[in-house]
């Protein structure tokens, strides 16, 4: 069967903003440039060595109807919720939180100096799962599989399966996500299958890359949306690169967003506000 190579269909640089109690961040998905990339509702990148930009953190707030995925590159984030769960996400660690019918949590920096860098991705849940029981999948860096590419880099696999068969620890049958943190040396090339049922994007953490059949370079801080196809070929340019490759199955359901709640209808969002105010979370 002939494979179809995905090309770049859009590049965005994100919009600077702040969230929580004043954490500076760059919003790529969920902002004016790209409101949604089904099933992805939001992607925030925070990265600063100014404590004033992150120290206030994200105090207690609710979520319903989707999943939040926090992946740290530097610094630590302490997480606490209303069910008594508590933990620290350390560099290289991931927390895949299924908010389901409702969670109230805080996400606070565990440090008062130095670099804080990481990502928060919001992944939608299908209508049938929006009111499921909340749950966590948390993995520290030492259990995250790292596939070494022969003389060309490596792939840290958080979710999904590489073409060589390395499987990430996150299990998710709703959107069958792929979430990989990839390092490629200069001129190295990587081929990765991505099911044609999925939307996909690349975020460049550092360096520069190109995507086959797209005559454009992607540089540090760029996010590109990939078009249709069932595989992608990525090549690092002269200085090498580190980037995230993320994909998820399109849900193709109506989306009603209301702050920290993402449901299918406006009525369900109003119900979420009501339930939250009446301590039903
Ligand atoms: Fe949150």
């Amino acid at each position: 069967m002939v494979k179809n190579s995905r090309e770049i269909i859009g590049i965005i640089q994100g919009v600077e903003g702040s969230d929580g109690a004043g954490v500076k961040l760059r919003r790529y998905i969920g902002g004016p440039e790209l409101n949604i990339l089904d099933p992805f509702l939001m992607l925030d990148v925070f990265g600063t060595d100014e404590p004033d930009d992150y120290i206030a953190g994200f105090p207690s707030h609710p979520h319903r109807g989707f999943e939040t995925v926090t992946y740290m590159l530097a610094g630590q984030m302490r997480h606490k919720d209303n069910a008594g769960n508590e933990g620290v996400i350390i560099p290289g660690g991931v927390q895949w939180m299924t908010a389901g019918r409702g969670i109230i949590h805080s996400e606070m920096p565990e440090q008062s100096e130095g670099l804080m860098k990481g990502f928060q991705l919001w992944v939608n849940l299908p209508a049938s799962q929006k009111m499921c029981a909340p749950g966590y999948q948390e993995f520290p860096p030492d259990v995250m599989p790292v596939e070494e590419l022969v003389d060309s880099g490596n792939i840290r696999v958080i979710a999904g399966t590489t073409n060589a068969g390395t499987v990430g620890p996150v299990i998710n049958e709703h959107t069958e996500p792929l979430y990989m943190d990839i390092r490629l040396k200069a001129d190295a090339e990587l081929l990765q299958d991505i099911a044609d049922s999925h939307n996909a994007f690349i975020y460049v953490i550092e360096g520069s890359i190109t995507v086959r059949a797209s005559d454009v370079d992607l540089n540090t801080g760029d996010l590109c949306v990939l078009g249709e196809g069932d595989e992608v070929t990525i090549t690092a340019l002269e200085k090498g690169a580190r980037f995230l490759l993320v994909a998820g199955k399109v849900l193709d359901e109506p989306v009603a967003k209301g702050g920290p709640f993402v449901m299918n209808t406006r009525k369900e969002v109003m119900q979420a506000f009501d339930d939250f105010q009446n301590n039903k979370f």
Side-chain angles (χ1 to χ4, degrees):
M1 198 174 72
V2 179
K3 288 268 193 176
N4 226 337
S5 205
R6 288 177 183 249
E7 298 176 25
I8 294 171
I9 57 168
I11 300 175
I12 58 176
Q13 265 92 38
V15 176
E16 203 168 295
S18 74
D19 210 339
V23 178
K24 269 204 191 154
L25 49 81
R26 241 183 142 70
R27 182 155 295 168
Y28 286 81
I29 301 172
E33 291 176 303
L34 181 61
N35 184 45
I36 183 171
L37 181 66
D38 188 2
F40 304 115
L41 303 162
M42 193 192 83
L43 176 70
D44 283 346
V45 180
F46 42 94
T48 172
D49 53 11
E50 288 294 325
D52 285 351
D53 292 345
Y54 61 74
I55 204 78
F58 302 88
S60 186
H61 60 277
H63 293 295
R64 174 181 281 181
F66 61 100
E67 303 183 294
T68 69
V69 181
T70 306
Y71 178 51
M72 298 298 290
L73 298 185
Q76 306 200 150
M77 194 79 99
R78 179 170 291 273
H79 169 269
K80 277 188 208 178
D81 77 10
N82 60 325
N85 300 301
E86 183 169 354
V88 177
I89 313 167
I90 65 172
V94 71
Q95 180 201 64
W96 199 292
M97 182 185 92
T98 304
R101 64 174 169 257
I103 253 176
I104 303 168
H105 73 166
S106 62
E107 300 154 283
M108 301 299 284
E110 183 80 329
Q111 60 183 60
S112 56
E113 56 184 31
L115 179 65
M116 171 74 89
K117 190 168 173 65
F119 303 90
Q120 186 161 96
L121 178 71
W122 288 10
V123 186
N124 208 357
L125 284 167
S128 63
Q129 299 299 319
K130 283 187 176 291
M131 295 298 277
C132 72
Y136 293 91
Q137 298 183 69
E138 282 184 319
F139 302 99
D142 55 337
V143 303
M144 209 83 78
V146 179
E147 179 179 308
E148 294 298 331
L149 304 166
V150 179
D151 204 31
S152 61
N154 62 48
I155 310 176
R156 291 172 53 82
V157 189
I158 295 161
T161 305
T162 69
N163 281 25
T166 307
V167 181
V170 170
I171 295 166
N172 185 317
E173 290 168 0
H174 315 309
T175 46
E176 299 165 20
L178 178 153
Y179 194 133
M180 297 172 183
D181 177 357
I182 301 168
R183 290 171 202 261
L184 291 182
K185 292 182 183 168
D187 303 319
E189 187 180 272
L190 178 78
L191 174 67
Q192 173 64 44
D193 290 346
I194 304 173
D196 59 7
S197 52
H198 285 40
N199 273 330
F201 68 86
I202 296 169
Y203 173 81
V204 183
I205 298 170
E206 58 187 34
S208 304
I209 58 171
T210 60
V211 172
R212 180 179 286 173
S214 301
D215 188 22
V216 56
D217 297 351
L218 292 172
N219 302 304
T220 304
D222 286 346
L223 180 144
C224 84
V225 177
L226 297 173
E228 290 177 3
D230 47 18
E231 65 179 22
V232 64
T233 301
I234 301 161
T235 308
L237 300 179
E238 56 274 10
K239 289 196 210 102
R242 182 181 185 186
F243 55 93
L244 298 183
L245 175 61
V246 180
K249 192 167 79 180
V250 175
L251 293 173
D252 199 20
E253 292 179 352
V255 174
K257 287 197 216 175
F261 311 124
V262 183
M263 306 301 290
N264 299 106
T265 67
R266 182 67 17 205
K267 194 170 166 231
E268 289 165 348
V269 171
M270 297 317 288
Q271 185 66 52
F273 278 106
D274 209 55
D275 288 351
F276 174 55
Q277 265 147 22
N278 291 297
N279 296 316
K280 290 185 183 164
F281 269 43

